[in-house]
Amino acid sequence: MNQALKSDPSFDPHFLQSVTEGLGWAEKCLSSRYFYDDRGSELFAQIMKLPEYYLTRSEMQIFTEQSNLICQSLDIKADKLEVVELGAGDGSKTQHLLKQLLKSDAQITYRPIDISSGALSSLKQQMHTALPDLTIQILCGDYFEKLEQLQETVQQKLVLFIGSNLGNLDDTQAKSFIQRLSNTLNPGDYLMLGLDMIKPEQIVLPAYSDAAGITAEFNLNLLRRINRELDANFDLGSFKHVAEYQESEGFARSYLQSLKHQTVTLGASGDQFTFQQGEKIHTEISRKYSDELLAELIQGCQLTLERKFTDTKGYFADYLLQKS
Ligand SMILES: C[S@@+](CC[C@H](N)C(=O)[O-])C[C@H]1O[C@@H](n2cnc3c(N)ncnc32)[C@H](O)[C@@H]1O
């Protein structure tokens, strides 16, 4: 272990453990949760504006055109509602919903949770400008770890897990996450789950391999982060971004493919990893859903489907669920 790095306050031992484990597997992988350093968050903001990236536009249409309906579907008790958002990012869609909620008589507190402190501080600034009356309490950290903190308040909650964030988990992880999340909710609390729907390859694949190469840059930035924070020597020019999707399977997958036989050293641990020419590191999955898959996902989780909101093309769905 590199002692100088270890004493750096920004050193994250979980990141090191995740990278050494993932690159040690026969089929190498890196966790998508580490995409979002400051540069990663900036690149993701650019991805959301790309012509190929239909996900944000579709869900944005739901929030701009149906926030009123979403509010009407909520049975707010005691005139107080806590809106918790997991992986809030720039909160630009949520802003429309919050604006509507502020028109109600209820007292609204917004608690966005994100691992990116940069994303949270710009979100806070934007929300203050757009909605000066809103009470905001930001929480920086991993939502897998912060979930139990949700139980600290007894107020009725609307938990937002939108932007297809759940899609970054495989089916087993997604089911156990939803069960855990549901366990932190009280009867009458709501969960809004924003999921990308299964659809043909010619629509989905370009969203993960855009012509301008921003998604490739976003994926490669993960290696840049490992170089910087874990003292590695990845040559970014020796890896390329690859995206795959099959409609029958419903998973989009992103990889970083080694363009040559090479060995990379991770200074933080002293480990070396060898890559064959053409070998791929799996970096992200993006699960596409259907109503049937949603029903399987929430089965046994004490969550009832109240209403489904979709964009006009039916590309994206926000499911409003209530804890029973
Ligand atoms: C795909 S973006 C979605 C942003 C926003 N929800 C939206 O719909 O536009 C994912 C966001 O989740 C955050 N994130 C990813 N993994 C996280 C984790 N494990 N814990 C907390 N935040 C996470 C990222 O920093 C990023 O801001």
Side-chain angles (χ1 to χ4, degrees):
M1 165 71 78
N2 179 324
Q3 289 307 321
L5 244 190
K6 206 178 160 190
S7 55
D8 183 332
S10 65
F11 171 69
D12 178 357
H14 301 293
F15 185 27
L16 176 61
Q17 189 186 358
S18 168
V19 170
T20 46
E21 269 177 25
L23 295 182
W25 293 114
E27 292 189 7
K28 295 183 173 66
C29 64
L30 290 169
S31 169
S32 59
R33 81 171 74 174
Y34 295 104
F35 276 137
Y36 299 94
D37 60 357
D38 288 348
R39 175 79 182 133
S41 296
E42 269 169 39
L43 286 164
F44 190 74
Q46 290 179 38
I47 289 173
M48 291 198 295
K49 293 185 187 132
L50 288 170
E52 295 95 334
Y53 200 76
Y54 62 84
L55 290 89
T56 307
R57 267 193 313 283
S58 307
E59 196 176 34
M60 183 59 101
Q61 191 195 41
I62 297 172
F63 277 80
T64 49
E65 296 177 8
Q66 299 181 65
S67 277
N68 198 9
L69 265 183
I70 298 172
C71 289
Q72 284 170 17
S73 308
L74 301 172
D75 178 16
I76 303 177
K77 311 199 194 291
D79 287 339
K80 274 187 183 173
L81 184 72
E82 199 175 282
V83 180
V84 179
E85 182 163 12
L86 309 180
D90 70 0
S92 54
K93 294 169 225 160
T94 310
Q95 196 173 303
H96 295 278
L97 181 62
L98 291 167
K99 191 173 170 190
Q100 281 298 331
L101 282 168
L102 285 173
K103 287 183 193 164
S104 72
D105 295 332
Q107 193 185 319
I108 307 296
T109 306
Y110 177 47
R111 296 177 73 196
I113 303 176
D114 206 289
I115 28 171
S116 165
S117 55
L120 279 177
S121 50
S122 61
L123 173 147
K124 194 173 178 185
Q125 224 167 9
Q126 280 163 29
M127 286 289 184
H128 269 314
T129 311
L131 305 171
D133 295 335
L134 181 69
T135 307
I136 309 184
Q137 295 168 357
I138 57 172
L139 197 54
C140 190
D142 190 324
Y143 47 65
F144 295 105
E145 289 161 19
K146 300 278 175 199
L147 268 193
E148 277 68 30
Q149 278 188 28
L150 296 184
Q151 284 171 309
E152 284 169 10
T153 59
V154 289
Q155 262 174 39
Q156 188 183 14
K157 290 181 198 64
L158 163 63
V159 177
L160 303 174
F161 197 35
I162 61 172
S164 185
N165 271 7
L166 187 76
N168 294 141
L169 304 181
D170 68 31
D171 290 350
T172 313
Q173 292 168 328
K175 176 106 191 159
S176 84
F177 184 75
I178 293 298
Q179 179 68 72
R180 238 184 96 197
L181 178 52
S182 173
N183 291 346
T184 69
L185 301 178
N186 294 313
D189 286 349
Y190 291 97
L191 170 63
M192 174 83 120
L193 207 48
L195 302 174
D196 193 18
M197 297 284 99
I198 291 182
K199 63 184 85 59
E201 184 182 325
Q202 60 269 28
I203 303 167
V204 174
L205 202 49
Y208 298 92
S209 51
D210 60 286
I214 310 292
T215 316
E217 185 57 27
F218 176 70
N219 202 3
L220 283 161
N221 183 58
L222 187 51
L223 300 185
R224 193 177 285 118
R225 180 173 186 183
I226 296 172
N227 281 352
R228 188 183 62 243
E229 294 187 21
L230 302 178
D231 189 25
N233 62 349
F234 277 103
D235 170 15
L236 269 61
S238 298
F239 287 86
K240 76 165 183 181
H241 165 73
V242 174
E244 294 174 1
Y245 174 75
Q246 279 168 1
E247 186 179 351
S248 57
E249 199 199 21
F251 282 98
R253 292 191 167 84
S254 294
Y255 300 90
L256 288 165
Q257 186 172 36
S258 178
L259 296 173
K260 60 179 189 189
H261 182 275
Q262 55 184 319
T263 299
V264 172
T265 304
L266 200 60
S269 63
D271 289 313
Q272 291 201 317
F273 300 97
T274 299
F275 298 86
Q276 305 303 324
Q277 180 170 4
E279 187 176 352
K280 292 187 288 189
I281 312 172
H282 181 215
T283 52
E284 189 175 34
I285 60 165
S286 188
R287 216 289 181 239
K288 310 301 164 197
Y289 278 87
S290 61
D291 290 349
E292 293 72 29
L293 286 169
L294 182 275
E296 278 173 35
L297 178 74
I298 62 170
Q299 197 181 16
C301 292
Q302 302 85 44
L303 292 168
T304 316
L305 176 59
E306 291 292 312
R307 197 157 176 171
K308 176 188 176 190
F309 302 89
T310 61
D311 58 296
T312 44
K313 290 182 179 158
Y315 282 0
F316 206 94
D318 283 285
Y319 292 92
L320 183 66
L321 310 163
Q322 190 169 33
K323 175 79 182 269
S324 48

